[in-house]
Amino acid sequence: MRRPFSQRTSWDRTPNALTRHLAEARARGVRLVDLTESNPTRADVVPDELARALVAELGDPRGAAYSPDPLGLPHAREAVARDYYGARGRSVDPARIVLSASTSEAYGWLFKLLCDRGDRVLVPRPSYPLFDWLAGLEEVELTPYPLVREEGFRLDLDAVARAVDERTRAILLVHPNNPTGSFVRRSDAVALEALAASRGLALIVDEVFGDYAHGALAPDRLPSFVGREAALTFVLSGLSKVVALPQLKLGWTVVSGPAALADEAIARLEVIADTYLSVATPVQLALPALLARRAEVQRAILERVRANLTTLDRALAAHGAGMLRRLPCDGGWYAILEVPRTRSEDEWVDRLIDAGVIVHPGYFLELDREGYLVVSLLPIEEDFEGAIDRAARALVEG
C-alpha cells in the first residue's frame, strides 16, 4: 500500500530516557528545578515592566495595513543596520540584510539557496541538535567537524579541510558556540575564509549569542563575522536572543563577501522570501523601538548568567572534592560540567532527577565522549543556587 507521508518526516518519536524518567519523577511528586531552562520568558530574567513595554510596541496602528517587502520593510532593515550593528561598531548595508521569522527559517532558506538534494553542509561538534532536523527537512546531509576540547574547543581547521568533498556546499559555525561558549580565533577565521573561497563554499555563521560574552574577549578572538568579504558569508541573529523575546518571531541574515556573489545571493533570497512572506508587519514596525532597549535586556541577562556562573564555581569548589570541574567558556548561556566517569551520563542525569535537579547529558549537545553534563545559566538565582548545590553533592556522593 502506498504510504501517504514523506520519508523525511519519518522520525522516531519514542520518548527518550530523560523524558520517561522526568514523567516518573513528577508522578511521584518530586519537586524539580530545571537547570536546562533556556527560554528567557520562563526564567523571570527580564523585568516584567520592561517585557510588557517591549511587547506593547507591537500596537502601532500602521500594522493594520499589509504592504509586504520580501526582504523585510526598508525601515526595519535599516534599524538592524543602524541600531544593532552600528551600535556595535559594525558598518552594514541595509540592502544586504534579509529578515525572516526566525533563524530556524533562515537556515531553511540558506539550505534551499545553497544546496540541492543530497548536498552536504559541514557542522561543528559539539553543537545543539537543531541542525539535524532542519537539514533533514531540506534533504541536505550534514558532515560533522570537531572542535578541539583540549584547546578551548578551537576550530580544527585540518579536520574541516579533510571533510570537504565534491558535494559540500557550506561550512556552518555557531559563534560563540552553543554550548561551549567558544569564539573563533581571528587567525582561524582568516584560514577558514581562505578555504571556503578556494573551494567555492559559503560560510553560515550563527551569532545569536554574540552579545553575551562573559567579559572582555581575548585579543585573538573574533567578535563577529559581519562585514568580512573574503568568502560568501551569511551571519544570522535575531530578537530571540538580542532582546530575549523569541515569541516576537523576527530574525535576520547579513550577507557579505565578494560583491558579485553577495548580490546574486540577495537576489535569490528575495525570491525565496517572497514565496513565504513570513515576517509579521507589527514586529517590523516595532523593531527600532525594540532594539533601542536591547541594552536593558542584555544587562539583566548578563547579570543573571554571571551570578549563576559564580554560584556554580563556588558549589564545585565547596563540594566537588576535586572530582568535578567546569570547562572554560567565553560566552553564551550554558556551562559544561565534567563529572566522574563512574556512571554513564544517563545514569548521572537519573541520579540528579532523584535529587530534584534536571540537567542535560553531554551527548544531547553532541559532546564526543562520556563524562559531561550541561546546565543553563538562565534560571532564577535562588533556584539555581539550591539546585546546583544539591547536584554537586549528589555527583560526589555517587
Side-chain angles (χ1 to χ4, degrees):
M1 183 176 182
R2 187 186 300 272
R3 56 180 172 82
F5 303 113
S6 70
Q7 187 62 33
R8 63 176 172 268
T9 60
S10 60
W11 305 296
D12 180 2
R13 302 193 303 277
T14 305
N16 60 33
L18 174 58
T19 301
R20 293 194 301 271
H21 197 157
L22 284 174
E24 294 166 0
R26 289 179 174 128
R28 298 196 311 269
V30 176
R31 181 183 179 275
L32 296 166
V33 177
D34 189 355
L35 295 191
T36 72
E37 181 60 78
S38 60
N39 180 344
T41 69
R42 291 201 299 251
D44 196 26
V45 64
V46 179
D48 288 341
E49 181 180 354
L50 176 56
R52 287 194 296 267
L54 291 172
V55 173
E57 296 291 347
L58 300 178
D60 190 320
R62 291 177 296 167
Y66 182 53
S67 181
D69 185 309
L71 296 176
L73 297 179
H75 97 283
R77 296 158 71 199
E78 290 165 5
V80 174
R82 178 190 64 244
D83 302 332
Y84 183 64
Y85 289 108
R88 300 172 74 208
R90 303 280 166 182
S91 178
V92 175
D93 183 353
R96 293 288 179 86
I97 294 173
V98 181
L99 302 188
S100 57
S102 65
T103 52
S104 293
E105 182 174 63
Y107 278 119
W109 291 1
L110 293 175
F111 291 160
K112 290 178 175 69
L113 171 72
L114 299 169
C115 300
D116 292 317
R117 176 185 296 175
D119 282 345
R120 300 188 180 97
V121 173
L122 307 189
V123 294
R125 296 288 188 268
S127 189
Y128 51 102
L130 173 67
F131 304 131
D132 294 321
W133 300 89
L134 295 173
L137 288 170
E138 303 297 337
E139 298 187 281
V140 170
E141 297 180 10
L142 299 181
T143 301
Y145 65 86
L147 304 179
V148 183
R149 181 182 51 258
E150 294 80 6
E151 298 181 30
F153 291 101
R154 184 172 186 170
L155 189 71
D156 188 333
L157 290 166
D158 290 337
V160 173
R162 289 194 300 270
V164 175
D165 64 17
E166 70 281 355
R167 297 302 301 268
T168 305
R169 296 293 178 262
I171 303 168
L172 193 155
L173 302 93
V174 183
H175 181 246
N177 183 268
N178 179 24
T180 69
S182 51
F183 284 79
V184 174
R185 288 167 171 79
R186 293 177 184 271
S187 59
D188 292 345
V190 171
L192 188 68
E193 290 165 338
L195 172 65
S198 68
R199 301 294 294 271
L201 307 176
L203 298 181
I204 302 172
V205 187
D206 184 331
E207 293 191 347
V208 296
F209 287 103
D211 293 309
Y212 298 102
H214 294 165
L217 286 180
D220 68 338
R221 299 304 199 271
L222 182 71
S224 175
F225 278 80
V226 164
R228 298 177 70 87
E229 303 290 343
L232 180 60
T233 301
F234 304 91
V235 175
L236 281 58
S237 189
L239 295 184
S240 174
K241 304 298 186 297
V242 168
V243 295
L245 291 172
Q247 72 272 33
L248 297 192
K249 305 305 295 178
L250 189 143
W252 57 78
T253 302
V254 180
V255 183
S256 63
L261 286 175
D263 289 345
E264 183 66 14
I266 288 286
R268 292 183 180 222
L269 282 169
E270 183 171 12
V271 176
I272 295 171
D274 193 34
T275 304
Y276 290 88
L277 293 176
S278 58
V279 189
T281 299
V283 71
Q284 295 188 72
L285 294 172
L287 192 54
L290 296 172
L291 292 175
R293 303 195 69 176
R294 71 182 180 89
E296 299 171 72
V297 173
Q298 293 175 9
R299 187 181 308 115
I301 290 174
L302 281 168
E303 288 174 357
R304 172 72 61 80
V305 165
R306 289 166 180 163
N308 283 341
L309 202 56
T310 298
T311 297
L312 171 59
D313 289 342
R314 187 184 302 123
L316 297 183
H319 307 300
M323 300 168 62
L324 310 173
R325 75 180 183 105
R326 173 179 66 84
L327 301 193
C329 58
D330 298 325
W333 295 358
Y334 291 89
I336 302 174
L337 310 183
E338 187 170 11
V339 300
R341 293 179 174 83
T342 53
R343 295 174 182 252
S344 71
E345 289 177 353
D346 281 334
E347 288 171 336
W348 278 127
V349 168
D350 289 348
R351 174 79 176 88
L352 294 187
I353 288 174
D354 291 339
V357 182
I358 307 172
V359 301
H360 278 318
Y363 70 81
F364 269 27
L365 285 300
E366 300 175 333
L367 285 139
D368 63 349
R369 66 179 68 171
E370 280 277 348
Y372 297 98
L373 303 176
V374 180
V375 299
S376 169
L377 298 170
L378 276 194
I380 296 169
E381 292 169 39
E382 294 78 8
D383 293 342
F384 186 92
E385 182 175 12
I388 207 66
D389 186 79
R390 292 198 305 279
R393 292 176 184 272
L395 289 166
V396 170
E397 292 170 0

